[in-house]
Amino acid sequence: MLPLLPTHVNTYCEPFVGGGALLFHLQPARAIINDVNAELINLYQVVKDDVEGLLEVLATFRNEAKTFYEVRAWDRDHAAYAQLSDIQKAARLLYLNKTCYNGLFRVNKAGEFNAPFGNYRNPNIVNAPVLRAVSTYLNSADIDMVTGGYAEILTGLPTGSFVYLDPPYDPVSDTASFTSYSKGGFGRQDQILLRKHCDDLDKRGIKFMLSNSATPFILEQYADYDVTIVKAKRAVNSIASKRGDIEEVVVRNYV
């Protein structure tokens, strides 16, 4: 993917930032990031504002099923959860991510975290060097961190912006569907609407790159753009033998 990036970017924009792998690899000086998961954006804000406080709270959590399910259940009492500090919410999210099955962020229809305990021997719950490094970057760069619908941040982007889109992927089969990253999911109509937003970016002369599954549906949606098929590792499968290389697309409106 990296060789396909544009050579010069004034403003980096990532509307589905998730774990921010590309953001933190590139570390652009100016960026706009968004995610529909407000808890995730809160985590990034806490890492920026008080990483040492976050590390202190993380150190109180134990890698055991009892603690995991107690912490996971915090959001079942909505009134009590609303009273937690931003640091406590951020620590909970990071702890669950490190100790749940396959690091899978998944919510039920009520928007409550419901991935099971991973039962890993020694997960790196308190990764102080990485968190401090992320904090240093977030404080040194000019970054707008917002949460909500991705379309809102695509309007008004300045000339020279680059948009990287990494949405929930189109399922490769009827049994492989996973769209419960957010309460509402992300279906075929959402994929079509996203492609229309890409068309708008193209008309405005704003470069974009999009990652998705190499399904016939996605290939048809982006047939007018430059499409590169790449191999990627798929780690989320209950059957270990079915985890491995799959085909994904990298879509660009530039060469």
Side-chain angles (χ1 to χ4, degrees), residues 15-60:
F16 304 89
V17 69
L22 187 58
L23 170 75
F24 296 123
H25 178 83
L26 298 176
Q27 296 192 14
R30 168 65 182 144
I32 304 170
I33 62 173
N34 172 80
D35 201 277
V36 69
N37 183 354
E39 299 288 341
L40 179 61
I41 297 300
N42 174 67
L43 170 58
Y44 288 141
Q45 194 65 55
V46 167
V47 170
K48 177 182 178 180
D49 295 340
D50 192 357
V51 68
E52 297 304 324
L54 175 63
L55 291 171
E56 288 180 11
V57 176
L58 274 176
T60 66

Side-chain angles (χ1 to χ4, degrees), residues 101-102 175 234-246:
Y101 179 72
N102 265 344
T175 58
R234 178 62 58 85
V236 180
N237 196 306
S238 59
I239 303 174
S241 62
K242 292 186 178 181
R243 302 172 192 164
D245 289 343
I246 62 164

Side-chain angles (χ1 to χ4, degrees), residues 115-175:
F117 182 55
N119 200 31
Y120 301 119
R121 181 172 296 179
N122 190 29
N124 195 0
I125 297 172
V126 188
N127 194 341
V130 168
L131 288 172
R132 287 177 177 136
V134 170
S135 181
T136 297
Y137 165 64
L138 293 177
N139 279 286
S140 64
D142 178 12
I143 303 180
D144 291 338
M145 294 187 283
V146 294
T147 183
Y150 70 89
E152 297 174 13
I153 68 168
L154 296 180
T155 61
L157 288 175
T159 302
S161 295
F162 167 68
V163 181
Y164 174 55
L165 298 149
D166 188 24
Y169 281 15
D170 187 48
V172 297
S173 69
D174 291 339
T175 58

Side-chain angles (χ1 to χ4, degrees), residues 17 20 43 60 70 78 110 140-141 145 164 179 198 200 211 230 235 248 254:
V17 69
L43 170 58
T60 66
E70 287 176 351
H78 295 181
S140 64
M145 294 187 283
Y164 174 55
T179 59
C198 288
D200 181 65
S211 302
V230 298
E248 295 183 358
Y254 61 92

